[in-house]
Amino acid sequence: MSYGRIKATQLIDKVTTADEAARLFEHGMVIGASGFTKAGDSKAVLDALARRAEKEELKITLMTGASLGHDTDAKLTRAGALAKRMPFQVDRVLREAINRGEVLFVDQHLSESAELLHNNCLPPVDIAVIEAAFIEADGSIVPTTSVGNSVTFAALAKRVIIEINTRVPEAIYGLHDIFQPDNYPHRNVIPIVAPENRIGRRSIPVDINKIAAIVFTDIQDSPADIAPPDAKTIAIAGHLLRFFEDEVKKGHLTDRLLPLQAGIGKVANAVLSGFKDSNFYDLRMFSEVLQDSTFDLLDSGKLSFASASSITLSADCYDRVFANLQKYKDRVVLRPQNISNTPGLIRRLGVIAINTAIEFDIYGNVNSTHIGGTNIMNGIGGSGDFARNAYLSIFVTQAASKDNRISHVLPMVSHVDHTEHDVDILVTDIGLADLRGLAPRERADRIIRNCVHPEYRESLRSYFDRACQLRGGHTPHMLEEAFSWHNRLRENGSMK
Amino acid sequence: MSYGRIKATQLIDKVTTADEAARLFEHGMVIGASGFTKAGDSKAVLDALARRAEKEELKITLMTGASLGHDTDAKLTRAGALAKRMPFQVDRVLREAINRGEVLFVDQHLSESAELLHNNCLPPVDIAVIEAAFIEADGSIVPTTSVGNSVTFAALAKRVIIEINTRVPEAIYGLHDIFQPDNYPHRNVIPIVAPENRIGRRSIPVDINKIAAIVFTDIQDSPADIAPPDAKTIAIAGHLLRFFEDEVKKGHLTDRLLPLQAGIGKVANAVLSGFKDSNFYDLRMFSEVLQDSTFDLLDSGKLSFASASSITLSADCYDRVFANLQKYKDRVVLRPQNISNTPGLIRRLGVIAINTAIEFDIYGNVNSTHIGGTNIMNGIGGSGDFARNAYLSIFVTQAASKDNRISHVLPMVSHVDHTEHDVDILVTDIGLADLRGLAPRERADRIIRNCVHPEYRESLRSYFDRACQLRGGHTPHMLEEAFSWHNRLRENGSMK
Ligand SMILES: CC(C)(COP(=O)(O)OP(=O)(O)OC[C@H]1O[C@@H](n2cnc3c(N)ncnc32)[C@H](O)[C@@H]1OP(=O)(O)O)[C@@H](O)C(=O)NCCC(=O)NCCS
Ligand SMILES: CC(C)(COP(=O)(O)OP(=O)(O)OC[C@H]1O[C@@H](n2cnc3c(N)ncnc32)[C@H](O)[C@@H]1OP(=O)(O)O)[C@@H](O)C(=O)NCCC(=O)NCCS
């Protein structure tokens, strides 16, 4: 054991095994755990909890930053340990249990869980489980590859379990900027005016008397598996980069653009990679998660600074970043997710937000979460925090998938996560639609012209034309036919 | 003429008639006009524009703060003067033209039009038309009963027409707090931490050389016609006040609550009136529009301060307020709508937002704008600015209307303005549903139990139960039946 990582030496007798620590959990408890896009999550204690729950009735509410790695959500689900889960997940096993109605899922904006906890709008947290690089002399926690909601969990939980991960070098100290707004009614300004501003401390404060157990691990974050760019994502990235170039030509933006946010996944990666060979320079990111592409851009000199709440890397990139932490620490900062994703900062900084949609409709409404209106995919994550308040709110998706049996551009989305009022730019591999300043009928025309897959263009045009003729209105729709494409897919396996 | 109201005496030769001023408009121009919820709007120049447009081809894009009074939108519509209108309207004649597809309408969050203009995301403003109480020596404009988007229009327009309204006393000077954030990428903090903070100047800066015409009027704002509380609005207000009392008992809020925002209309009025006989005290408003009820609450001592972008009063209350301006000026401030409605301040202050819905569904999605999914009613206004970022996001509506032929609680809303992620509390005359921390299936159960009209309860329960059985999912829906209630209303005149 690396007891040297416990600078508060009076805590050394709290060191125990994961199984022992997991005995602290009781049926019905609310657990707040670290972890955000598979980074900085609990690797041992939640795993031990799953094993316990296999043998006894032990159902909890689990809150995290965002998604967990190491199949932890799957293990907890299979063990029947999850009564309720929030605010985000990406696990196939958990997703299916949610969709069967077995696990209750609360799909929250990532900036809001901490708000709701602080405001007593959610049940109080019993136990926090937080991954740490080390514990400072005052008991405060130096986190690892994510901050997430850990500051809130540590502040509000009755007891705290710390997992010290010795795989993470102590040199990570200084990567994090830990700041929390005061509670209402005395909340103050968050004094960030640029992504690179540091306003807080380097570790997460915690009442040392609440630390109930310390567990050691040596397990790396689950690697991000990012599909390499393919023809579609390269086409999407191309449309988007040309759009940015045009905005610069028109004098709307400079070659430095404005701070970028990019969701995870291959499209975001393709877009960021596209910047490498562009004329843009001195770029900044103000995002929620940083992937390999961020570090490539930092290395290439195109990107000057990146702010987020987590770092999710491939195995190769993980090694590279941790071997060069000192170099990156000046140019990267990790913040609590209620800071990285807070509406006021996103508007103040003028973020350009790029997120992936499951589907969008002819009027610009976006579905980020549901398949067929009923089944959850992952959750809204931070897409709403950013899209709603961004300088530019961009959504990307492939025009069609599954041998073109599915069109992602539709008469009406089956679930709305981002409304027509919030969406500026839509992009598919077919093309880009700039919706700014357009009325709904103008938007429909442009989206049908620019974004829909050619195999669906005519029938989408026909829907719109008939809706205008038969019903008219500000937003012409035939409600009895609005979901006919989804219904056809359900019944016949194709939207055609 | 009260030339004394033009302290910049070099401008006196700009004084002209409304008809002369209206000659400045040209076909295809973009006009930015003052006016917000019928307050502080142009009374003469836009009227003259309508008269001109009756005789010649003259179509413009008209941007305002929000809605206009004096049937101006109707006159412009009838004259065929409107090509495009944004960001809000409440006029029956205009609404019908929009729904026939004759006028293009862009339904924007009220905080965003100024952003879009500053960021060159909308066509540039050719002429600003701004109502003023008087003009300062440096040419700057002292506005009247609203600020709206006038600061942005004055800054960006190529030419400015000022309507000096002598009906408004010069003593209004000091009511306004004129502040604008800097442009990207150098935007700074908006240093407001309480509704009563004043951070700007008292008049709207304008390049004196751009002032192209000055017109005098003496016409009062169109009076607000507020229906008196009835059984339904009293029931809604009762549910809401009991909810606030419970939150205080639970220690979630104090008797001072947090700053209140209330939409216009009779429900908001009934709620605010309800505070008069409550135990709450030292209340504050951080809202977009102030109605009679605000001044009643100020008089009763319950309300300490009110911040907004406009004041819309009945004729009686108007006289009372203007006879006592000095008294109210210390306790009321009017701000630009991109400050009153800005996301960051709404979250920073922890606003309790109360807005009216047209309909909501069993999962908590709210429609504020469309009838039957196609026809616009008014627009989203500021409801999204507030709901999305509020401490508590509350929507109210009657459970049923038109002899109960219409249910306002539905399987699925026909248009989404506020998503399930953004809505905390729903209230009808039947009861209140607190949705915080609930998964979709839990929300459905609570909404069906608490909010739906008894005549619709069973069939809404049946929809939900069958959706759970037949389709399951995180958000059970039968897409082929989701709009059946709307379809029945369209075909048979009743949702039953
Ligand atoms: C939207 C999101 C799921 C897209 O992720 P992705 O990996 O690019 O997903 P895809 O475009 O490949 O589509 C998802 C799947 O749904 C399927 N799908 C889409 N529409 C469908 C429909 N109407 N019916 C059935 N399946 C459908 C696709 O075919 C695809 O299937 P596959 O995975 O078997 O190929 C993901 O970005 C997400 O969860 N976003 C929300 C969170 C967020 O934005 N966070 C902010 C930043 S991290
Ligand atoms: C939502 C809004 C229209 C409600 O206003 P309201 O005057 O209370 O409206 P009502 O509840 O009486 O309902 C509106 C009408 O639509 C009708 N209606 C509602 N649902 C309907 C449906 N599915 N089909 C047909 N008609 C419907 C009602 O019967 C009612 O008709 P009536 O006016 O003939 O009685 C109004 O508050 C608004 O425009 N809000 C958006 C802007 C906003 O919130 N701004 C923020 C603060 S100012």
Side-chain angles (χ1 to χ4, degrees):
Chain A
M1 302 279 173
S2 307
Y3 286 157
R5 294 215 179 200
I6 306 175
K7 321 288 179 198
T9 48
Q10 71 271 43
L11 289 176
I12 285 177
D13 63 2
K14 299 288 181 196
V15 174
T16 182
T17 63
D19 286 324
E20 275 305 313
R23 284 181 183 279
L24 293 170
F25 299 113
E26 289 168 28
H27 182 70
M29 275 187 165
V30 177
I31 311 301
S34 65
F36 192 108
T37 50
K38 302 186 182 180
D41 52 341
S42 154
K43 276 105 180 163
V45 176
L46 292 186
D47 195 67
L49 166 64
R51 276 183 273 115
R52 233 191 98 189
E54 277 171 14
K55 303 198 200 87
E56 53 182 299
E57 171 83 347
L58 181 59
K59 267 196 191 309
I60 59 157
T61 291
L62 178 62
M63 303 186 66
T64 53
S67 55
L68 303 177
H70 295 285
D71 294 327
T72 301
D73 269 322
K75 291 176 197 162
L76 289 167
T77 303
R78 288 202 193 98
L82 296 179
K84 199 172 241 186
R85 182 77 175 84
M86 61 187 97
F88 189 70
Q89 61 78 36
V90 299
D91 186 273
R92 194 180 50 78
V93 174
L94 171 54
R95 175 188 301 149
E96 285 169 7
I98 294 167
N99 286 328
R100 284 193 305 270
E102 290 165 14
V103 176
L104 294 167
F105 178 57
V106 189
D107 182 10
Q108 275 166 346
H109 297 295
L110 293 185
S111 77
E112 288 196 350
S113 316
E115 298 285 339
L116 291 166
L117 280 173
H118 274 293
N119 301 338
N120 302 300
C121 300
L122 294 176
V125 179
D126 295 294
I127 298 183
V129 184
I130 298 175
E131 189 182 72
F134 63 92
I135 301 175
E136 291 216 75
D138 64 353
S140 64
I141 299 166
V142 177
T144 60
T145 43
S146 71
V147 181
N149 282 318
S150 298
V151 186
T152 301
F153 296 149
L156 299 181
K158 294 172 200 115
R159 288 196 281 182
V160 178
I161 300 173
I162 301 176
E163 279 190 31
I164 296 181
N165 188 340
T166 55
R167 181 72 185 72
V168 176
E170 290 191 45
I172 202 167
Y173 185 72
L175 183 68
H176 315 95
D177 186 41
I178 306 301
F179 174 91
Q180 280 294 297
D182 296 325
N183 279 342
Y184 298 124
H186 299 296
R187 189 169 283 199
N188 223 313
V189 166
I190 303 172
I192 291 174
V193 296
E196 59 269 27
N197 293 163
R198 291 181 164 274
I199 59 171
R201 34 184 296 175
R202 288 159 183 234
S203 56
I204 299 173
V206 59
D207 174 352
I208 201 163
N209 298 309
K210 296 201 304 190
I211 299 177
I214 299 174
V215 173
F216 277 89
T217 71
D218 184 17
I219 306 169
Q220 193 162 317
D221 287 341
S222 290
D225 32 28
I226 302 156
D230 56 22
K232 282 184 189 173
T233 54
I234 291 172
I236 291 173
H239 297 310
L240 209 37
L241 284 164
R242 269 191 301 283
F243 166 76
F244 289 136
E245 282 160 5
D246 282 349
E247 289 293 292
V248 173
K249 273 194 211 121
K250 288 182 193 150
H252 297 173
L253 287 167
T254 74
D255 280 334
R256 289 185 160 97
L257 298 179
L258 281 164
L260 298 162
Q261 178 259 339
I264 42 169
K266 56 186 181 180
V267 183
N269 239 34
V271 173
L272 289 185
S273 300
F275 280 115
K276 251 188 297 186
D277 311 307
S278 71
N279 290 323
F280 302 105
Y281 72 103
D282 195 16
L283 299 169
R284 279 162 177 73
M285 290 187 74
F286 191 80
S287 197
E288 58 180 36
V289 44
L290 307 180
Q291 302 182 87
D292 290 16
S293 49
T294 296
F295 291 87
D296 295 343
L297 275 184
L298 283 170
D299 289 346
S300 76
K302 285 283 175 194
L303 186 68
S304 300
F305 198 91
S307 164
S309 195
S310 85
I311 300 179
T312 301
L313 302 174
S314 68
D316 276 1
C317 189
Y318 189 95
D319 291 336
R320 191 177 100 216
V321 168
F322 278 89
N324 294 282
L325 257 182
Q326 215 51 45
K327 178 174 102 183
Y328 291 117
K329 245 167 29 182
D330 289 346
R331 299 166 69 198
V332 174
V333 65
L334 297 187
R335 311 180 187 278
Q337 69 197 68
N338 55 329
I339 304 296
S340 63
N341 286 32
T342 200
L345 293 184
I346 293 162
R347 177 148 309 174
R348 190 187 295 155
L349 299 181
V351 171
I352 296 175
I354 307 166
N355 289 290
T356 308
I358 289 179
E359 58 187 20
F360 59 77
D361 69 27
I362 51 174
Y363 298 115
N365 299 286
V366 169
N367 171 12
S368 288
T369 57
H370 282 68
I371 304 292
T374 59
N375 285 326
I376 189 94
M377 184 70 167
N378 301 322
I380 193 168
S383 57
D385 291 322
F386 284 93
R388 177 68 185 80
N389 300 293
Y391 162 87
L392 271 182
S393 168
I394 300 168
F395 283 93
V396 301
T397 187
Q398 47 189 333
S401 68
K402 311 260 195 234
D403 298 327
N404 301 339
R405 281 178 283 119
I406 296 176
S407 171
H408 295 250
V409 188
L410 292 154
M412 182 183 263
V413 290
S414 59
H415 186 270
V416 178
D417 294 292
H418 312 288
T419 76
E420 47 140 342
H421 313 280
D422 291 340
V423 177
D424 296 316
I425 311 282
L426 291 172
V427 198
T428 66
D429 41 312
I430 304 301
L432 179 149
D434 182 349
L435 308 179
R436 292 173 294 172
L438 299 191
R441 291 175 186 226
E442 295 175 295
R443 283 181 227 147
D445 183 63
R446 190 165 296 181
I447 290 169
I448 294 170
R449 250 178 236 281
N450 295 7
C451 298
V452 68
H453 193 280
E455 292 184 21
Y456 288 96
R457 193 173 288 142
E458 226 171 283
S459 62
L460 202 55
R461 171 70 65 186
S462 154
Y463 176 86
F464 174 58
D465 288 346
R466 286 180 296 122
C468 289
Q469 262 175 346
L470 285 176
R471 297 288 147 71
H474 177 55
T475 307
H477 263 308
M478 301 170 291
L479 289 186
E480 72 282 16
E481 199 180 315
F483 293 138
S484 57
W485 295 32
H486 297 92
N487 291 335
R488 265 203 302 281
L489 178 67
R490 198 183 56 249
E491 286 163 15
N492 312 329
S494 170
M495 287 186 176
K496 280 187 194 155
Chain B
M1 301 281 171
S2 307
Y3 286 158
R5 295 218 179 198
I6 305 175
K7 320 289 177 197
T9 46
Q10 70 269 43
L11 289 176
I12 286 178
D13 63 2
K14 300 287 181 193
V15 174
T16 181
T17 63
D19 285 325
E20 275 305 311
R23 283 181 184 279
L24 293 170
F25 300 113
E26 289 168 26
H27 182 70
M29 274 188 168
V30 177
I31 311 300
S34 65
F36 192 108
T37 51
K38 301 186 183 180
D41 53 340
S42 154
K43 276 104 180 163
V45 176
L46 291 186
D47 196 68
L49 167 64
R51 274 182 274 116
R52 233 192 97 188
E54 277 169 15
K55 302 198 202 87
E56 52 183 300
E57 170 82 347
L58 182 59
K59 267 195 192 309
I60 59 156
T61 291
L62 178 62
M63 302 187 65
T64 54
S67 55
L68 303 176
H70 295 284
D71 295 327
T72 301
D73 269 322
K75 291 176 196 161
L76 290 167
T77 302
R78 287 201 194 97
L82 296 178
K84 199 173 241 188
R85 181 79 175 85
M86 60 187 100
F88 189 70
Q89 60 79 36
V90 299
D91 185 273
R92 197 180 48 77
V93 175
L94 171 54
R95 176 187 302 149
E96 285 168 8
I98 294 168
N99 286 328
R100 284 193 304 270
E102 290 164 15
V103 177
L104 293 168
F105 178 57
V106 190
D107 181 10
Q108 274 166 346
H109 298 295
L110 294 185
S111 76
E112 290 196 350
S113 317
E115 297 285 338
L116 292 166
L117 280 174
H118 274 293
N119 301 339
N120 302 301
C121 300
L122 295 176
V125 180
D126 295 294
I127 298 183
V129 184
I130 299 175
E131 189 182 73
F134 63 92
I135 300 174
E136 292 215 75
D138 63 354
S140 63
I141 300 166
V142 176
T144 60
T145 42
S146 71
V147 181
N149 282 319
S150 298
V151 186
T152 301
F153 296 148
L156 300 182
K158 293 171 199 115
R159 289 197 280 182
V160 178
I161 300 174
I162 301 177
E163 279 192 33
I164 296 182
N165 188 341
T166 56
R167 180 69 185 74
V168 176
E170 291 191 46
I172 202 167
Y173 185 73
L175 182 69
H176 315 95
D177 185 41
I178 306 301
F179 174 91
Q180 280 294 297
D182 296 325
N183 279 343
Y184 297 124
H186 299 296
R187 188 169 284 199
N188 223 315
V189 166
I190 304 172
I192 291 174
V193 295
E196 59 270 28
N197 293 164
R198 290 179 165 275
I199 59 171
R201 37 185 294 174
R202 289 157 183 235
S203 56
I204 299 173
V206 60
D207 174 353
I208 203 163
N209 299 309
K210 297 200 304 190
I211 299 177
I214 299 173
V215 174
F216 278 89
T217 72
D218 184 17
I219 306 168
Q220 193 162 317
D221 287 341
S222 290
D225 32 27
I226 302 156
D230 57 22
K232 282 184 189 173
T233 54
I234 291 172
I236 292 172
H239 298 310
L240 209 38
L241 284 163
R242 269 191 301 284
F243 166 77
F244 289 136
E245 282 160 7
D246 281 349
E247 288 292 293
V248 173
K249 275 195 209 119
K250 289 184 191 149
H252 297 173
L253 287 167
T254 73
D255 280 334
R256 291 188 160 97
L257 298 178
L258 281 165
L260 298 162
Q261 177 259 339
I264 44 170
K266 57 186 182 182
V267 182
N269 238 35
V271 172
L272 288 185
S273 300
F275 279 115
K276 250 190 295 188
D277 310 308
S278 72
N279 289 324
F280 301 105
Y281 72 102
D282 194 16
L283 298 169
R284 279 162 176 75
M285 290 187 74
F286 191 80
S287 198
E288 59 179 37
V289 45
L290 307 179
Q291 301 182 90
D292 289 17
S293 49
T294 295
F295 291 87
D296 295 345
L297 275 185
L298 283 169
D299 289 346
S300 76
K302 286 283 178 194
L303 186 68
S304 300
F305 198 91
S307 165
S309 193
S310 86
I311 300 180
T312 301
L313 302 173
S314 67
D316 277 2
C317 190
Y318 188 95
D319 291 338
R320 191 175 101 218
V321 167
F322 279 89
N324 295 282
L325 256 184
Q326 215 51 45
K327 179 173 101 181
Y328 291 117
K329 245 170 21 185
D330 290 344
R331 297 166 70 199
V332 174
V333 65
L334 297 187
R335 309 180 187 277
Q337 70 197 66
N338 54 329
I339 304 295
S340 64
N341 286 31
T342 200
L345 293 183
I346 292 162
R347 177 149 305 174
R348 190 187 294 156
L349 299 180
V351 170
I352 296 175
I354 308 167
N355 290 290
T356 307
I358 288 179
E359 59 187 20
F360 58 78
D361 69 28
I362 51 173
Y363 297 113
N365 298 287
V366 169
N367 171 10
S368 288
T369 56
H370 282 69
I371 303 293
T374 59
N375 285 326
I376 190 94
M377 185 72 169
N378 301 323
I380 193 166
S383 57
D385 290 323
F386 284 93
R388 177 67 186 81
N389 299 294
Y391 163 87
L392 272 181
S393 168
I394 301 170
F395 284 92
V396 302
T397 188
Q398 47 189 334
S401 69
K402 312 260 193 234
D403 298 325
N404 301 339
R405 280 179 283 118
I406 295 176
S407 172
H408 296 248
V409 188
L410 291 154
M412 184 183 260
V413 290
S414 59
H415 186 269
V416 178
D417 294 292
H418 311 288
T419 75
E420 45 139 343
H421 314 279
D422 291 340
V423 176
D424 295 316
I425 311 281
L426 291 172
V427 199
T428 67
D429 42 311
I430 304 301
L432 179 148
D434 182 350
L435 308 180
R436 291 173 295 172
L438 299 190
R441 290 175 186 227
E442 294 176 293
R443 285 181 225 147
D445 183 63
R446 191 166 293 180
I447 289 170
I448 294 169
R449 252 178 235 282
N450 295 7
C451 298
V452 68
H453 193 281
E455 292 184 22
Y456 287 96
R457 192 172 289 144
E458 228 170 283
S459 62
L460 202 54
R461 172 69 66 185
S462 154
Y463 176 85
F464 175 57
D465 287 346
R466 286 180 296 120
C468 289
Q469 264 175 342
L470 285 177
R471 297 288 149 72
H474 176 56
T475 307
H477 263 309
M478 300 172 291
L479 289 185
E480 72 282 18
E481 199 181 317
F483 293 138
S484 57
W485 296 32
H486 297 91
N487 292 335
R488 265 202 303 281
L489 178 69
R490 198 183 56 247
E491 286 163 12
N492 312 330
S494 170
M495 287 186 178
K496 280 187 193 156

